Amino acid sequence: MPSDMNIVGVKLYLQGKLTEGGVSISDGKIAKIGKESTLPPSSKTLQGHRLLALPGLVDVHAHLRDLELSYKEDYFSGTSAAAAGGFTTLIDMPNTSPVTDSAERLREKMDIARRKIVVNVGFNIVPSNLEEVTKAKELAVGYKINLVKPWSDLSLDDSTLTSLINRAGLIGKMVIFHAEDGAMVSRLENEFKENASIQSYYRAHPPEAEDVAVARVLGCTAEQTKIHFCHISSVGSLRLIKTAKQQRKKITCEVTPHHLFLSRERASKWGGISIMDPPLRNREVAKRLFSALKKRAIDIVGTDHAPHSIGEKAQLPWWKIPPGIPGLETALPLLLTEVKRGNISLKRVIEAMAETPAEIFGLNRGKLKEGNPADIILVDLNRRFKIDSSIFFSKAKYSPFDGRGVVGKIVKTFVGGKLVFDENRIVEAPGAGTILTPKNTWA
Ligand code: DOR
Ligand code: ZN
Ligand code: ZN
């Protein structure tokens, strides 16, 4: 049977190695992978010009906003940024306005997203009560809890957390944590509010706040529940997670590119753009995080793409600045630059940005494999360029990485076999992506 399209003349990333060949796509799926001579005939053949063909990346931590926060980002701009950055699947966070705290709210959100997305998107909710955990079972990927600034009415005492974790585990769902101790942070924030310096932000979010929260979550966990820690940024919490992983299996964690490649020593020149939560740590810690990622003590990279308007990022005093930066369009080139420098293997990068996030979140994606959805990116590892936030598809057109020289240009992004991003342009209409629910896409 002829295929819908053959991509030929590429270097395929297969089981950790690069192999010359091509891919056949039929019905949005990878029908065949192999040498060009083994592919079925097709009326449409795309010459890959020896570009790398990698699995589409999976980012389990993106704030796509939309709804009342569309001025910061909407589903089309955010998923366009994803496609331009090589991400074909995202998991969206629930701290929107209105907040996604129930199955009903999630249904409404999905209806809006469905018409706008150009990559695949799954969703977390932050339940307003324990009943919503069960009600959202058929819709949500998992439950996201922010311990520093609760996003819903759910009480976050130990007993409720334990019940939430138990309930989620019983229905085979994960719980995802922003682990920072809320009480400690608000006490310190009040203490340093008088001091105008941006340094006060760091003092209000010390690594100990992360360590305490991680320890607390680990104390509440039930054997059967998958727990995922977002954006780990302290040596103490890394240690706690390492020990916990040795005792029980279902604990995973993530690091952001900004915690890997930026440190607070140089942050003053970025002003409000340097504010993210958790905050940047020092250079030594960034190095430790990179080494932990290499050694798999940190499982995956998550961008924590958290767009805000540039006006909001320029506000003073420091405690008014919303934390977060856009990350979808810089993550892969930053990591590939380290591959080029010989600091990390391509295998580890693809594992951490595609294979393992898909595995942890139960997605049948993240690998170039016959039968999988044809989420594929073509990348030029030799093309050097400078990060330029003025050409971001994200509405947040700023980045502390601006001007940084990188390699690894994303040339084409295919989502479910459709060419969505082609040489600096989005070429598919809004709505080309798929809404992921446990029914249609989870393993
Ligand atoms: O930097 C951050 N930005 N950290 C968070 O936990 C929230 C996020 C956001 O939504 O802006
Ligand atoms: Zn967070
Ligand atoms: Zn986040």
Side-chain angles (χ1 to χ4, degrees):
M1 253 225 324
S3 73
D4 296 341
M5 176 170 51
N6 288 346
I7 304 173
V8 300
V10 286
K11 288 191 248 175
L12 298 158
Y13 178 85
L14 298 173
Q15 283 140 20
K17 295 199 186 84
L18 293 173
T19 315
E20 310 252 337
V23 191
S24 261
I25 299 173
S26 267
D27 286 335
K29 297 219 162 88
I30 299 178
K32 176 97 178 109
I33 299 175
K35 295 258 170 270
E36 202 175 323
S37 57
T38 68
L39 300 181
S42 179
S43 55
K44 203 165 161 193
T45 299
L46 191 134
Q47 276 300 333
H49 302 293
R50 308 199 77 243
L51 294 172
L52 299 189
L54 306 175
L57 306 179
V58 177
D59 184 12
V60 300
H61 193 156
H63 298 263
L64 294 175
R65 316 285 194 212
D66 208 294
L67 314 177
E68 289 163 20
L69 300 178
S70 293
Y71 69 95
K72 296 181 195 244
E73 194 79 288
D74 61 39
Y75 286 117
F76 182 62
S77 63
T79 56
S80 296
F87 291 93
T88 51
T89 298
L90 304 177
I91 310 283
D92 184 37
M93 288 297 170
N95 60 328
T96 44
S97 181
V99 66
T100 321
D101 60 358
S102 65
E104 196 42 46
R105 284 276 193 235
L106 178 51
R107 225 170 262 123
E108 290 162 12
K109 198 169 166 177
M110 283 175 165
D111 285 341
I112 292 167
R114 188 170 288 114
R115 294 181 272 115
K116 298 190 183 182
I117 55 176
V118 293
V119 303
N120 311 305
V121 183
F123 298 83
N124 286 319
I125 72 157
V126 51
S128 57
N129 58 56
L130 293 176
E131 281 67 59
E132 289 300 333
V133 172
T134 317
K135 283 191 194 156
K137 183 177 148 199
E138 305 298 333
L139 298 170
V141 178
Y143 309 97
K144 168 79 189 272
I145 301 295
N146 186 341
L147 291 171
V148 73
K149 197 174 167 212
W151 293 331
S152 78
D153 291 339
L154 187 75
S155 151
L156 295 179
D157 56 86
D158 280 2
S159 127
T160 315
L161 272 190
T162 307
S163 306
L164 167 81
I165 290 169
N166 271 317
R167 202 180 264 238
L170 288 173
I171 54 173
K173 294 283 189 176
M174 27 193 329
V175 188
I176 299 130
F177 284 95
H178 174 131
E180 245 187 330
D181 188 71
M184 190 189 299
V185 169
S186 63
R187 180 173 51 77
L188 292 169
E189 252 175 17
N190 283 329
E191 194 175 325
F192 299 121
K193 249 183 181 165
E194 296 301 309
N195 189 328
S197 154
I198 262 184
Q199 300 295 324
S200 304
Y201 183 80
Y202 299 133
R203 292 206 213 127
H205 291 260
E208 291 76 24
E210 183 171 311
D211 305 348
V212 166
V214 166
R216 192 173 152 230
V217 170
L218 292 172
C220 295
T221 55
E223 281 285 321
Q224 80 273 12
T225 315
K226 272 187 174 182
I227 299 286
H228 180 72
F229 289 103
C230 298
H231 45 49
I232 282 306
S233 70
S234 87
V235 174
S237 62
L238 260 185
R239 241 183 242 130
L240 289 166
I241 291 169
K242 189 173 172 193
T243 311
K245 278 182 170 186
Q246 284 159 358
Q247 289 158 0
R248 60 193 281 280
K249 270 200 192 142
K250 295 182 170 172
I251 292 168
T252 51
C253 68
E254 141 206 320
V255 68
T256 69
H258 46 270
H259 289 111
L260 291 174
F261 301 124
L262 299 175
S263 57
R264 67 176 60 166
E265 286 88 341
R266 295 178 54 225
S268 56
K269 70 173 189 189
W270 302 311
I273 292 173
S274 70
I275 298 289
M276 49 278 274
D277 192 16
L280 296 177
R281 310 292 186 192
N282 62 33
R283 195 169 291 134
E284 199 42 49
V285 173
K287 271 195 205 154
R288 295 280 285 271
L289 294 171
F290 190 70
S291 147
L293 175 69
K294 278 171 71 171
K295 290 192 230 150
R296 300 184 175 76
I298 294 177
D299 301 274
I300 61 172
V301 170
T303 68
D304 199 1
H305 177 81
H308 298 283
S309 75
I310 186 70
E312 290 169 326
K313 295 298 279 180
Q315 287 176 107
L316 283 173
W318 60 269
W319 45 267
K320 284 197 178 153
I321 304 170
I325 54 166
L328 286 167
E329 289 165 90
T330 48
L332 184 61
L334 287 168
L335 268 298
L336 288 179
T337 304
E338 297 305 312
V339 171
K340 195 81 174 177
R341 289 182 180 144
N343 294 334
I344 191 168
S345 65
L346 178 64
K347 178 172 190 291
R348 182 65 195 125
V349 168
I350 299 306
E351 242 174 51
M353 297 182 83
E355 289 169 12
T356 313
E359 234 167 75
I360 295 171
F361 284 73
L363 293 159
N364 57 345
R365 292 164 195 271
K367 273 189 185 141
L368 295 184
K369 198 171 131 196
E370 290 172 9
N372 266 16
D375 294 346
I376 303 167
I377 58 174
L378 302 189
V379 175
D380 187 346
L381 197 51
N382 296 317
R383 213 140 111 196
R384 285 176 193 280
F385 62 101
K386 284 198 169 149
I387 290 176
D388 175 4
S389 62
S390 71
I391 59 166
F392 280 0
F393 285 87
S394 169
K395 291 187 184 180
K397 299 195 195 305
Y398 54 82
S399 170
F401 293 110
D402 251 336
R404 200 182 264 233
V406 287
V407 298
K409 173 87 184 97
I410 296 109
V411 181
K412 291 184 199 297
T413 301
F414 296 89
V415 180
K418 293 180 208 158
L419 179 62
V420 164
F421 174 77
D422 189 14
E423 294 276 0
N424 304 327
R425 284 184 314 128
I426 295 293
V427 293
E428 261 290 348
T434 304
I435 298 279
L436 304 182
T437 65
K439 268 195 212 132
N440 71 2
T441 329
W442 313 119

Coordinates of all heavy atoms in Angstrom, one line a residue, residues 61 63 144 146 148 151 177-180 230-231 277-278 304, ligand 2:
H61 N 5.7 20.2 31.1 CA 5.5 21.4 32.0 C 5.4 22.7 31.2 O 6.4 23.4 31.0 CB 6.7 21.4 33.0 CG 6.4 22.4 34.1 ND1 7.0 22.3 35.3 CD2 5.6 23.5 34.2 CE1 6.6 23.3 36.1 NE2 5.8 24.0 35.5
H63 N 3.0 26.3 30.6 CA 1.8 27.2 31.0 C 1.3 27.9 29.7 O 1.9 28.9 29.3 CB 2.2 28.2 32.0 CG 2.7 27.6 33.3 ND1 1.9 27.4 34.4 CD2 4.0 27.1 33.7 CE1 2.6 26.9 35.4 NE2 3.9 26.7 35.0
K144 N -2.0 18.6 39.6 CA -0.8 19.4 39.9 C -1.0 20.2 41.2 O -2.1 20.9 41.3 CB -0.6 20.4 38.7 CG 0.4 21.5 39.0 CD 1.9 21.1 38.8 CE 2.9 22.1 39.3 NZ 3.3 23.1 38.3
N146 N 0.6 23.0 43.7 CA 1.7 24.0 44.0 C 1.7 24.3 45.5 O 0.7 24.8 46.0 CB 1.4 25.3 43.2 CG 2.5 26.3 43.3 OD1 3.3 26.2 44.2 ND2 2.5 27.3 42.4
V148 N 3.7 26.3 47.2 CA 4.1 27.6 47.6 C 3.0 28.6 47.5 O 2.9 29.5 48.3 CB 5.4 28.1 46.9 CG1 5.1 28.5 45.4 CG2 6.1 29.2 47.6
W151 N -3.2 27.0 44.2 CA -4.0 27.6 43.0 C -5.5 27.4 43.2 O -6.3 27.9 42.4 CB -3.5 27.0 41.7 CG -2.1 27.4 41.4 CD1 -1.5 28.6 41.7 CD2 -1.2 26.7 40.5 NE1 -0.2 28.6 41.1 CE2 0.0 27.4 40.4 CE3 -1.2 25.4 39.9 CZ2 1.1 27.0 39.7 CZ3 -0.1 25.0 39.2 CH2 1.0 25.8 39.1
F177 N 4.2 17.9 41.6 CA 4.3 18.9 42.7 C 5.3 20.1 42.3 O 6.4 19.8 41.7 CB 4.9 18.3 43.9 CG 3.8 17.6 44.7 CD1 3.7 16.2 44.6 CD2 3.0 18.2 45.6 CE1 2.7 15.5 45.3 CE2 2.0 17.5 46.3 CZ 1.9 16.2 46.1
H178 N 4.9 21.3 42.5 CA 5.8 22.4 42.7 C 6.1 22.4 44.2 O 5.3 22.8 45.0 CB 5.2 23.7 42.3 CG 6.0 24.9 42.5 ND1 6.3 25.9 41.6 CD2 6.7 25.3 43.6 CE1 7.1 26.8 42.1 NE2 7.4 26.5 43.3
A179 N 7.3 21.9 44.5 CA 7.6 21.7 45.9 C 8.5 22.9 46.4 O 9.7 23.0 46.2 CB 8.4 20.4 46.1
E180 N 7.8 23.7 47.2 CA 8.5 24.8 47.9 C 7.5 25.1 49.1 O 6.3 25.2 48.9 CB 8.5 26.1 47.0 CG 9.9 26.6 46.6 CD 9.8 27.9 45.9 OE1 8.8 28.2 45.2 OE2 10.7 28.7 46.0
C230 N 8.4 18.8 39.9 CA 8.7 19.8 38.8 C 10.1 20.5 39.2 O 10.4 20.5 40.4 CB 7.7 20.9 38.7 SG 6.1 20.3 38.3
H231 N 10.7 21.1 38.2 CA 11.8 22.0 38.4 C 12.6 21.9 39.7 O 12.6 22.8 40.5 CB 11.3 23.4 38.1 CG 10.1 23.8 38.9 ND1 9.8 23.6 40.2 CD2 9.0 24.5 38.4 CE1 8.6 24.0 40.5 NE2 8.1 24.6 39.4
D277 N 10.4 31.0 39.4 CA 10.2 30.2 40.7 C 10.2 28.7 40.4 O 9.4 28.3 39.6 CB 8.8 30.7 41.3 CG 8.7 30.2 42.7 OD1 9.7 29.8 43.3 OD2 7.5 30.1 43.2
P278 N 11.1 27.9 41.0 CA 12.1 28.4 41.9 C 13.1 29.3 41.2 O 13.2 29.3 40.0 CB 12.9 27.1 42.3 CG 12.0 26.0 41.7 CD 11.1 26.5 40.8
D304 N 9.0 24.5 31.8 CA 8.3 25.4 32.7 C 8.1 26.7 31.9 O 8.3 27.8 32.4 CB 9.0 25.7 34.0 CG 8.1 26.3 35.0 OD1 6.9 26.5 34.7 OD2 8.5 26.7 36.1
Ligands
ZN2 ZN 6.3 25.6 39.5

